[in-house]
Amino acid sequence: MKKIISVFLCILTVTSAITLSPLTANAKYRTYKYKNFEYDFAVNTDGKAYDDKINILNYYGEEKELVLPAELKGKKVVRVSVENNNYVESITVSEGIEEITSFFGCSNLNQIKLCSTIKRFEDWAIRNTAYYNNKDNWDGHVLYVDNYIAQIEQRDSQGNLINDLGELNIREGTKKLLYFSFDEHKTGFSKISIPASLTSLPLEWFSDYNRQLCEINVSKSNKKYASKDGILYNKNMTKLLCYPQAKSGYSYRIPESVTTINPHAFEYNNTLKELRITKNVNRIPKTAFNVCLALKAFKVSSKNSRYSSKGGILFNKNKTTLIHFPSKHKKVKYKIPASVNKIYNNAFRFSKIKSVTISKSVKRVCSGAFFGCFNLKKIRIPKTVKRIEAYAFGYGYKYYEESEFNDSDFYIQNLTFIVYKGSAAYKYYRKYAVDKDNKDACFWKVKYIK
């Protein structure tokens, strides 16, 4: 399972990158040089700029005190990189720039001044620099740049992965924790303490890289965030931001004050078995319960006007949308209720389900609905289902061939589709499961309903 989830994370990263890219199929990046800068930006097939954004790829000049500009050739600079330049000793990042890709190998770089718009530091971004090698810039595993946390070291001096980084006590005066990627998802902190000064957190970072996290504590003087019982909320506790992945406890009841659950709030939690949703919760994003591998049941207040539960399964209020089937639900065979007309995004994701019968009332199966259901062997889909979105059943043969992560252990294998010929389910099967040149390569099988 660890191997499966590891591969899933890699695919999710690639999928997210593709989704966030502003480019269409007809737009490509082109590289240019201006003065001492190398840069690129997107152009359409007619040669015209796709948008007004530009990326600085490198600087080849000899300035000791380098200012990375907010604009170049009349375009907004959003991402910057300066590599292997031994002349640069100081870099100032101008207001408006959002991401630092790399200062790697700038051996004499000993001073970095960031702007308030910076959001992301890539892993390894300032390795092999004087700044990185200066112990005064570190506090334990944490590298500070100005008033920001820019990087966290997850390996010891011998290069060995540190599985539990212990406690992260963010020092007072720190304004922002930048999003940066660890090179391993298995590591992380067990406890994080947030000071009054910190007002910017990349919330997805908590779920992406802190599988050991048991507790989050926030200073009472912090004006943006709050915590209670080790759980992270916004200041007035109307938004549940992060329920730690390794927090102990069988059951959790969401406070009455909460109306919104953050998109990554419970993602990758491996301990929680029962979640009680109170009456005022009115927004649950499709990714909120992704890969909650211990979750057995939802219990929703009868007074909630947006959501309901039945048999431990989460629905909208009138039960026309099946929102989430818990990963460790006691049922391994399930028939979708006749009231349901839509199976929501990620509804069964990583569940232990073995067999599903979709009722005739269902019209739509959303993307990711059965992604990662590795025990699923049989699914019966009526012809009344008119729309099945991409990745609804994970990766069939077509996705396996197109993915650079084509490890067959990751895909649902030996799944049998029971469908009507000519139906949407039949077309989905033909499109994504069948290799026209080698039918034996198909992971899925099909049986036809007469």
Side-chain angles (χ1 to χ4, degrees), residues 260-432:
T260 302
I261 296 176
N262 182 61
H264 305 278
F266 293 89
E267 201 169 29
Y268 301 110
N269 179 274
N270 55 28
T271 58
L272 187 64
K273 294 177 174 60
E274 180 184 85
L275 181 61
R276 295 175 177 267
I277 298 174
T278 45
K279 64 180 182 180
N280 294 318
V281 175
N282 58 39
R283 184 174 182 272
I284 301 176
K286 59 188 177 183
T287 56
F289 308 113
N290 273 359
V291 204
C292 291
L293 299 180
L295 192 60
K296 293 182 177 181
F298 292 94
K299 291 187 177 180
V300 182
S301 168
S302 60
K303 296 180 180 179
N304 190 297
S305 62
R306 293 288 298 274
Y307 301 103
S308 64
S309 60
K310 183 178 181 181
I313 300 163
L314 181 64
F315 298 87
N316 65 342
K317 185 63 177 179
N318 56 7
K319 295 182 175 61
T320 57
T321 299
L322 193 160
I323 296 173
H324 200 84
F325 185 97
S327 293
K328 215 169 181 178
H329 194 277
K330 61 183 179 181
K331 287 189 176 181
V332 294
K333 294 182 179 180
Y334 185 64
K335 182 177 181 180
I336 307 293
S339 61
V340 173
N341 58 46
K342 181 169 73 172
I343 301 174
Y344 200 51
N345 301 75
N346 309 317
F348 287 83
R349 196 171 196 135
F350 285 103
S351 76
K352 305 296 183 183
I353 198 75
K354 292 182 179 180
S355 175
V356 175
T357 299
I358 296 179
S359 64
K360 293 181 180 180
S361 60
V362 175
K363 302 293 188 293
R364 178 181 173 187
V365 180
C366 295
S367 178
F370 294 93
F371 193 104
C373 294
F374 301 108
N375 295 324
L376 186 61
K377 301 301 179 187
K378 184 173 65 175
I379 187 160
R380 184 183 178 97
I381 308 175
K383 56 187 175 183
T384 50
V385 174
K386 301 300 182 184
R387 181 179 176 185
I388 302 178
E389 297 178 359
Y391 305 103
F393 295 92
Y395 295 85
Y397 184 77
K398 178 178 179 181
Y399 292 128
Y400 174 81
E401 284 293 285
E402 292 177 352
S403 172
E404 65 179 286
F405 305 101
N406 52 359
D407 182 341
S408 61
D409 289 345
F410 182 70
Y411 302 83
I412 303 175
Q413 299 184 52
N414 301 316
L415 169 62
T416 299
F417 279 75
I418 303 172
V419 301
Y420 288 88
K421 276 192 175 182
S423 66
Y426 170 80
K427 292 176 182 177
Y428 182 95
Y429 172 83
R430 295 290 301 174
K431 183 176 181 179
Y432 296 114

Side-chain angles (χ1 to χ4, degrees), residues 39-277:
Y39 65 95
D40 70 5
F41 63 88
V43 294
N44 294 313
T45 52
D46 60 5
K48 294 182 180 180
Y50 180 82
D51 55 27
D52 63 346
K53 297 177 181 179
I54 198 170
N55 306 311
I56 292 178
L57 303 179
N58 213 340
Y59 170 75
Y60 298 105
E62 300 180 3
E63 291 285 339
K64 289 185 177 181
E65 297 182 359
L66 175 63
V67 177
L68 293 173
E71 289 189 1
L72 196 65
K73 299 284 285 184
K75 294 184 179 297
K76 178 185 176 182
V77 176
V78 293
R79 188 180 295 112
V80 294
S81 179
V82 180
E83 292 188 323
N84 299 312
N85 187 308
N86 295 324
Y87 295 100
V88 175
E89 297 178 2
S90 170
I91 292 180
T92 299
V93 181
S94 296
E95 200 72 22
I97 294 173
E98 298 177 1
E99 183 175 331
I100 295 171
T101 305
S102 179
F103 294 152
F104 183 88
C106 295
S107 58
N108 293 314
L109 177 62
N110 57 54
Q111 186 175 22
I112 303 171
K113 298 179 181 178
L114 299 180
C115 57
S116 65
T117 54
I118 202 74
K119 296 178 181 177
R120 185 182 181 104
F121 240 91
E122 290 295 337
D123 185 40
W124 297 77
I126 46 180
R127 298 280 180 104
N128 289 10
T129 66
Y131 191 95
Y132 183 90
N133 294 329
N134 186 343
K135 293 182 179 179
D136 291 339
N137 296 324
W138 290 85
D139 185 357
H141 299 288
V142 181
L143 178 65
Y144 286 86
V145 177
D146 280 352
N147 294 318
Y148 301 160
I149 293 180
Q151 196 165 338
I152 292 175
E153 181 55 69
Q154 58 179 150
R155 295 183 182 274
D156 62 23
S157 59
Q158 304 301 315
N160 300 312
L161 182 69
I162 305 170
N163 289 322
D164 186 352
L165 296 173
E167 295 186 16
L168 171 58
N169 293 306
I170 301 174
R171 65 190 184 194
E172 185 61 51
T174 304
K175 295 180 179 179
K176 183 183 292 188
L177 192 158
L178 301 178
Y179 186 96
F180 48 86
S181 58
F182 284 169
D183 57 0
E184 286 285 349
H185 292 270
K186 298 175 183 178
T187 189
F189 294 96
S190 57
K191 180 179 178 181
I192 297 176
S193 296
I194 298 171
S197 59
L198 192 69
T199 56
S200 180
L201 288 169
L203 296 173
E204 65 274 23
W205 176 79
F206 284 91
S207 59
D208 283 351
Y209 296 107
N210 287 281
R211 305 302 159 76
Q212 317 292 334
L213 189 59
C214 299
E215 184 178 350
I216 303 171
N217 294 314
V218 181
S219 166
K220 292 182 179 180
S221 300
N222 191 296
K223 295 181 179 180
K224 189 170 182 179
Y225 302 108
S227 62
K228 183 178 180 181
D229 299 326
I231 301 164
L232 182 65
Y233 304 87
N234 66 337
K235 185 61 179 178
N236 58 6
M237 292 185 64
T238 58
K239 295 180 180 179
L240 196 162
L241 302 179
C242 181
Y243 185 96
Q245 288 82 342
K247 180 177 173 59
S248 62
Y250 179 94
S251 180
Y252 169 63
R253 183 179 183 274
I254 296 174
E256 295 281 356
S257 61
V258 172
T259 60
T260 302
I261 296 176
N262 182 61
H264 305 278
F266 293 89
E267 201 169 29
Y268 301 110
N269 179 274
N270 55 28
T271 58
L272 187 64
K273 294 177 174 60
E274 180 184 85
L275 181 61
R276 295 175 177 267
I277 298 174

